[in-house]
């Protein structure tokens, strides 16, 4: 029998064992860490004048604010230059929602080092953006809220980074919060790394503590930070520069697409080997085909500004113009010796919707692009920019099936299109299924919910009817708990709005794709029917007043409706055709008593995401630049069968 000392030595290399018996991590991280990344081969070399890094974090943990501070303190902005808050969130939707949707990059010069920083989405529905971003960088900066700790999107993006063997730098932000718990959060981060099978080198991550809003950083909490210089120094000293092969031919992979009115389509990516300048090259497509192409211009970045440059060398991030039909993942290679890079691997989509040209009676009144041809062109253009989407034709010439990662991703695409002037109709979301070993399988989600303790029962009951199974429950501090569920993806369709209502807006939910599992059986769909207008005209206060006792009204008095438009939710499980335009009959006979007072209950506003979640199989959401309407697929009442209570088969 082995002695206990021998057993200790034998099992000490196991990560779980290490997590149980490790010493507490010190908060004093003032000693610089050596660069532990090894060279790929004897022919390669490392560029020390460049750092390509990605910032990854959960939604609203402060990564965009931190980039603002780095830009300011690096001298990127001139003293008299007007500075826009949250400069990396250039999309209007990003500023409205307070999240990052599209991956963007900027360049900062610190001493003699060029730092290319890529800001990545924190939402799992935009995982395609994350995959492309990580392919361009050599290290990652993990940003974590000092109070909330690592949350689901932190786990999602970090897992991708660790699988790509990227060295991490940990930044604990918002240390000024009154409820900051830095010690506990640092320990949670370490546990997360172990859980994600991080290597020994990745586990030995450097740590910096920041207050992004104030623009300060420190390696030691006992010494308050004065500026972000400690963070700059840590980036340069611990994250590696790009490894290149001087003897290899040119290799440039398009990781993102952009458009310029003067030069046309731009391909953004990293130069793996060689150099890139205006001239002739070979385009190696993801499908294996090759064709000769000509690069007309090469661009780099100064801060957030894209500037034309003569050439770019291996290891740098650049944009090229001149190739109109280049796609995401394609490689621009040497003309004489083309060597394509490996194709980008993206998580498979799980949610599908049907997009159709608007055929309502009011089609073309509000939008500029109405035809199915324009809709098709726009959708396939979106697919070229977003590799996580799948676009396919259907048996209807004016309808197209779009498959994505989640409802939120598809809703963002729809909202973007309506702001561009498109009119369209979208169907109820459905899940993508596959057959494995002769059995039907469906996508599963890891659902993480953060709620006050009082709502544990409410949330558990909501998810029980949606085939959700609780796998973990932990206390998150301040009388809040963190619940983890395994739930089918279709069980989350329509869940978000109900969850926010039942938790009174205090709950936080995030879902991550968690593989495939056998079909879980039927899930009850929306049990209530719809109140459907039987004619066209304006909704009258008189009619709304008498209908509101039968259910929930979606439109205010005075709003115009058409036949087949859903104007409310009926309290029973069948549809109700209503005359919401009915007016009070007027006579010359004086009433014996006084007229009844008309008191209108505030209507339920149905936005795009609420409408997508609410509609049933035989219903659609009509989307125009100015309006979102709910309607039946078959508008004419006489041609439409009565709706009965639906159940998901």
């Amino acid at each position: 029998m082995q002695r206990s000392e021998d057993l200790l030595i034998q099992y000490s290399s196991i990560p779980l064992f290490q997590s149980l018996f490790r010493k507490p991590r010190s908060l004093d991280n003032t000693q610089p860490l050596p660069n532990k990344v090894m060279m790929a081969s004897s022919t390669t070399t490392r560029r020390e004048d460049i750092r390509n890094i990605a910032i990854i974090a959960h939604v609203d943990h402060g990564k965009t604010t931190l980039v603002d501070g780095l830009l300011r303190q690096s001298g990127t902005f001139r003293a008299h230059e007007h500075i826009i808050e949250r400069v990396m969130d250039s999309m209007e939707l990003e500023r409205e929602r307070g999240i990052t949707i599209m991956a963007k990059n900027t360049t900062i010069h610190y001493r003699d080092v060029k730092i290319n920083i890529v800001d990545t989405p924190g939402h799992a529905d935009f995982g395609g953006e994350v995959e492309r971003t990580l392919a361009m960088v050599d290290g990652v900066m993990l940003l974590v809220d000092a109070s909330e700790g690592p949350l689901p999107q932190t786990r999602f993006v970090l897992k991708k980074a660790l699988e790509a063997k990227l060295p991490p730098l940990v930044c604990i932000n918002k240390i000024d919060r009154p409820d900051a718990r830095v010690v506990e959060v640092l320990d949670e981060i370490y546990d997360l790394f172990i859980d994600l099978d991080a290597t020994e080198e990745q586990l030995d991550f450097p740590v910096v503590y920041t207050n992004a809003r104030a623009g300060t950083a420190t390696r030691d909490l006992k010494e308050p930070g004065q500026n972000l210089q400690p963070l700059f120094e840590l980036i340069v000293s611990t994250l590696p520069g790009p490894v290149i092969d001087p003897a290899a031919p040119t290799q440039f992979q398009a990781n993102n697409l952009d458009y310029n009115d003067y030069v046309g389509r731009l391909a953004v990516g990293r130069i793996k080997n060689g150099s890139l300048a205006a001239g002739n090259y070979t385009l190696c497509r993801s499908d294996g085909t090759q064709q000769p192409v000509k690069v007309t211009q090469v661009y780099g970045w100064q801060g957030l500004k894209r500037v034309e440059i003569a050439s770019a060398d291996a290891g740098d991030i650049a944009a090229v113009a001149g190739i109109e039909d280049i796609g995401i993942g394609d490689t621009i290679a040497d003309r004489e010796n083309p060597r394509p890079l490996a194709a980008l691997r993206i998580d498979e989509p799980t949610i599908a919707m049907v997009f159709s040209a608007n055929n309502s009676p009011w089609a073309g009144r509000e939008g500029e692009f109405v035809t199915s041809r324009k809709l098709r062109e726009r959708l396939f253009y979106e697919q070229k920019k977003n590799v996580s989407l799948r676009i396919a034709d259907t048996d209807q010439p004016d309808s197209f099936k779009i498959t994505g990662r989640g409802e939120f991703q598809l809703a963002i695409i729809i909202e973007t299109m309506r702001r561009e002037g498109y009119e369209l109709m979208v169907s109820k979301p459905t899940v993508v299924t596959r057959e494995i070993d002769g059995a039907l399988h469906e996508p599963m989600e890891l659902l993480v919910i953060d709620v006050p303790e009082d709502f544990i029962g409410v949330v558990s009951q909501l998810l029980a009817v949606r085939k959700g199974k609780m796998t973990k429950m932990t206390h998150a501090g301040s009388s809040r708990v963190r619940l983890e569920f395994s739930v089918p993806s279709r069980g989350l369709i329509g869940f978000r709005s109900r969850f926010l209502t039942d938790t009174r807006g205090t709950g936080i939910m995030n879902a991550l794709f968690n593989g495939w599992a056998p079909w879980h059986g039927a899930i009850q769909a929306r049990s209530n029917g719809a109140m459907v207008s039987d004619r066209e005209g304006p909704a009258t206060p008189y009619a709304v007043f008498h209908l509101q006792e039968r259910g929930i009204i979606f439109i205010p008095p005075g709003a115009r409706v058409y036949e087949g438009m859903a104007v409310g939710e009926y309290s029973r499980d069948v549809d109700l055709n209503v005359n919401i335009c009915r007016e009070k009959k007027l006579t010359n006979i004086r009433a014996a008593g006084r007229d009844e007072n008309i008191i209108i209950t505030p209507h339920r506003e149905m936005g795009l995401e609420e409408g997508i979640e609410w509609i049933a199989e035989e219903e659609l959401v009509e989307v125009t630049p100015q309006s979102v309407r709910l309607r039946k697929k078959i508008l004419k009442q006489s041609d439409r069968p009565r709706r009965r209570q639906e159940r998901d088969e």
Side-chain angles (χ1 to χ4, degrees), residues 563-564 618 631-641:
E563 183 181 5
E618 80 280 3
R631 51 159 288 179
K632 291 292 183 178
K633 288 182 179 179
I634 303 173
L635 296 178
K636 194 172 179 63
Q637 178 182 343
S638 58
D639 299 337
R640 193 169 60 245

Side-chain angles (χ1 to χ4, degrees), residues 164-226:
K165 307 300 181 183
L166 296 173
L169 183 160
V170 173
C171 177
I172 299 179
N173 192 31
K174 302 184 182 182
I175 59 175
D176 60 316
R177 288 185 57 163
D179 56 347
R181 47 187 190 93
V182 179
V183 178
E184 293 85 352
V185 166
L186 182 59
D187 204 51
E188 291 173 6
I189 295 172
Y190 190 73
D191 291 336
L192 177 60
F193 271 69
I194 293 175
D195 189 43
L196 297 178
D197 297 324
T199 64
E200 183 178 347
E201 290 78 13
Q202 291 172 331
L203 282 170
D204 196 15
F205 50 80
V207 184
V208 64
Y209 312 97
T210 62
N211 179 357
R213 193 172 293 276
T216 61
T218 180
R219 299 289 309 280
D220 188 354
L221 288 175
K222 299 177 182 178
E223 300 179 4
Q226 303 299 321

Side-chain angles (χ1 to χ4, degrees), residues 220-418:
D220 188 354
L221 288 175
K222 299 177 182 178
E223 300 179 4
Q226 303 299 321
N227 48 44
L228 292 175
Q229 185 175 350
L231 178 56
F232 280 113
E233 292 287 348
L234 205 61
I235 292 174
V236 173
S237 64
T238 63
L239 296 183
V243 175
I244 62 172
D245 187 351
T250 298
Q251 291 176 308
F252 169 92
Q253 189 168 51
N255 297 86
N256 204 354
L257 296 178
D258 201 353
Y259 186 83
N260 184 280
D261 292 334
Y262 298 100
V263 299
R265 177 171 292 186
L266 293 167
V268 181
R270 171 176 166 174
I271 305 171
K272 180 68 174 178
N273 289 305
S275 62
L276 199 62
N280 297 317
Y281 297 90
T282 297
L283 181 64
C284 303
R285 301 190 181 279
S286 301
D287 59 5
T289 61
Q290 299 182 358
Q291 72 177 74
V293 293
K294 184 177 181 179
V295 173
T296 57
Q297 289 173 293
V298 180
Y299 296 89
W301 278 265
Q302 291 181 357
L304 295 168
K305 299 177 181 177
R306 190 167 54 228
V307 295
E308 186 175 355
I309 56 179
S311 64
D313 297 321
D316 209 348
I317 295 175
V320 299
I323 309 174
E324 286 298 316
D325 56 347
I326 191 172
I328 297 290
D330 293 349
T331 301
I332 298 176
D334 186 78
R335 184 65 177 269
E336 305 299 331
N337 186 18
R339 297 181 183 178
L341 293 168
L344 299 174
R345 184 179 63 84
I346 308 295
D347 285 342
E348 289 295 317
T350 57
I351 298 293
M353 295 174 67
V354 176
F355 287 38
S356 308
N358 189 14
N359 63 4
S360 82
W362 300 345
R365 294 187 180 182
E366 301 176 2
E368 180 181 357
F369 308 107
V370 185
T371 65
S372 59
R373 180 177 63 86
K374 289 291 186 180
L375 177 62
R376 188 180 191 278
E377 290 176 355
R378 178 61 178 83
L379 290 175
F380 278 92
Y381 174 74
E382 184 70 29
Q383 185 183 30
K384 291 181 179 179
K385 299 191 299 178
N386 194 336
V387 293
S388 63
L389 289 180
R390 303 289 186 271
I391 315 293
D393 294 309
T394 66
D395 54 357
Q396 300 294 323
D398 63 344
S399 299
F400 312 93
K401 185 177 182 180
I402 290 74
T403 312
R405 201 25 223 112
E407 286 181 89
F408 188 55
Q409 181 194 28
L410 298 178
I412 290 293
I413 294 172
I414 299 168
E415 181 65 29
T416 302
M417 291 177 63
R418 70 176 291 203

Side-chain angles (χ1 to χ4, degrees), residues 68 71-72 75-88 95 304-305:
D68 288 354
L71 286 166
R72 287 181 173 90
T76 301
F77 295 123
R78 295 185 294 272
H80 64 279
E81 188 173 356
H82 176 66
I83 300 175
I84 303 174
E85 295 292 330
R86 300 176 65 243
V87 293
M88 294 290 279
R95 294 182 177 275
L304 295 168
K305 299 177 181 177

